[in-house]
Amino acid sequence: MAPHVERMVNEQKELSEKIEKLGAFISENPIFDTLADEEQYDMHLQLQAMSMYNAVLMNRIKRATAE
C-alpha cells in the first residue's frame, strides 16, 4: 500500500474512534445535557462535520485501493 494511502487509512481509523467517542458523549453522558445550548449545538455540528469527513476519506481510500 502506498504511503499516502496508509496515512489516509490511519487518519480514518483515528477519526472513526473520535466520532464514536463524541457520539457516545452526546447520547449517553449526562454531562452533555448540562452544557450551554450553544456548546451542545456546536458539538452536534462537529459530529456531523467529522462524519462527513470520514465518508470522504473512506471514498478516497476505496478508490486508492481499487487501483
Side-chain angles (χ1 to χ4, degrees):
M1 186 177 305
H4 73 283
V5 177
E6 285 183 38
R7 288 191 299 272
M8 283 193 298
V9 168
N10 291 335
E11 182 177 359
Q12 192 276 324
K13 283 182 188 178
E14 291 173 10
L15 183 58
S16 288
E17 291 172 9
K18 290 178 182 182
I19 289 169
E20 186 176 324
K21 289 177 183 178
L22 180 56
F25 179 76
I26 289 171
S27 64
E28 299 171 12
N29 195 318
I31 292 173
F32 179 78
D33 294 327
T34 68
L35 300 174
D37 290 343
E38 297 86 3
E39 187 67 18
Q40 290 183 22
Y41 178 76
D42 284 345
M43 292 179 89
H44 279 289
L45 282 180
Q46 180 179 348
L47 183 59
Q48 289 175 353
M50 290 167 69
S51 296
M52 183 177 287
Y53 182 35
N54 191 47
V56 171
L57 273 175
M58 290 191 312
N59 286 339
R60 291 183 62 212
I61 292 166
K62 185 176 172 182
R63 279 193 306 273
T65 56
E67 296 173 355

